[in-house]
Amino acid sequence: MPAEPTILATSGGFTSSGRGPIGWRRGPLIDYALSLSGTERPRICYLATAQGDSPLSIAAFYNAFAACTDALPSHLALYPMPSAEDPAAHLLVQDVIWVGGGSVANLLALWRVHGLDAVFREAWEKGIVLAGVSAGSICWHMGGTTDSFGPELRLIDNGLGLLPYANGVHYDVEPQRRPLLQSLVASGALPTAHATDDGVGLLYRGTELVEVVSELPDAAAYKVEADGAGGATETVMVPRLLTA
């Protein structure tokens, strides 16, 4: 278990094996998240809250670990009732928690109804690796941009706030993401932001960004800051390429 709070916030992770909707395989970012736990056979819990606990998503997660002996997978669903008798107890014995993508607004609302916002802070302070993709990346930050409310991206500013930054995901593939994030940072609606192209992950120890990694070549991360003159500056952060 890491000695300090650890978050891996990404725009990647599981990839398709080409075998239908539950044909997921582990990408390098998943293996990297597991390695961050510092344990030989880490316990990894998957939350598909942002997808309404989609059975297909949960099945795909288990399918990705079906032939693996180096990790102990489990999941926590909240629909129609929690899948664990004591969700907090289940989460707090994990080594890695991976949160899937979908609606970050719905995810945050449901977590708060169930008191998981406090549980995740406890898990973070305990050194459990908190990780995820898209909604599962934004949630750990102050906020970011989201399509939770419709196809037109909007501001979300009620993240868990474990990290004092905003977060941008899918920065290179969804055209609205970059200009909206920059305008929100420029106006002060969001603080300084860290954004990721698809395939890129941000590693935080405590609240410090200590490494940028990628499972894809030619992808990058970005630091977006207000320039003090009504605009924003964007600084490229070149990642270390992970090997499969």
Side-chain angles (χ1 to χ4, degrees):
M1 193 76 67
E4 59 186 324
T6 300
I7 289 176
L8 179 64
T10 85
S11 288
F14 292 103
T15 61
S16 173
S17 67
R19 298 180 180 177
I22 65 169
W24 284 7
R25 63 179 178 83
R26 286 163 44 174
L29 282 168
I30 300 295
D31 291 336
Y32 183 60
L34 293 171
S35 74
L36 292 171
S37 71
T39 61
E40 185 174 343
R41 197 180 182 203
R43 293 161 291 187
I44 178 170
C45 181
Y46 176 61
L47 281 85
T49 318
Q51 293 184 0
D53 290 326
S54 161
L56 284 177
S57 180
I58 294 168
F61 166 76
Y62 282 111
N63 193 53
F65 284 91
C68 303
T69 59
D70 62 341
L72 296 170
S74 68
H75 78 282
L76 176 64
L78 298 177
Y79 289 97
M81 63 181 69
S83 57
E85 183 175 350
D86 187 338
H90 183 76
L91 291 173
L92 292 172
V93 296
Q94 302 302 315
D95 300 299
V96 179
I97 295 170
W98 186 274
V99 180
S103 172
V104 67
N106 291 348
L107 171 153
L108 290 167
L110 197 60
W111 281 0
R112 287 179 168 123
V113 165
H114 287 269
L116 295 190
D117 49 341
V119 175
F120 282 120
R121 178 169 288 277
E122 183 177 351
W124 179 62
E125 292 173 346
K126 186 179 178 181
I128 295 170
V129 177
L130 303 182
V133 56
S134 195
S137 175
I138 296 169
C139 62
W140 315 119
H141 296 76
M142 301 298 290
T145 62
T146 181
D147 57 6
S148 297
F149 307 107
E152 191 74 21
L153 290 178
R154 288 173 52 182
L155 164 70
I156 189 159
D157 60 1
N158 66 336
L160 296 186
L162 301 180
L163 301 169
Y165 309 103
N167 184 225
V169 295
H170 311 306
Y171 210 55
D172 59 336
V173 297
E174 297 182 3
Q176 296 179 46
R177 296 278 184 180
R178 179 179 255 114
L180 181 57
L181 186 67
Q182 289 186 359
S183 68
L184 291 170
V185 171
S187 70
L190 286 175
T192 295
H194 296 148
T196 50
D197 288 343
D198 274 10
V200 176
L202 306 166
L203 174 62
Y204 296 90
R205 297 290 195 181
T207 59
E208 181 183 357
L209 178 61
V210 297
E211 187 174 32
V212 180
V213 295
S214 179
E215 57 191 10
L216 297 175
D218 304 318
Y222 310 86
K223 183 176 183 179
V224 181
E225 303 172 276
D227 64 9
T233 61
E234 182 180 278
T235 305
V236 176
M237 298 185 287
V238 178
R240 175 173 65 88
L241 185 63
L242 299 172
T243 57

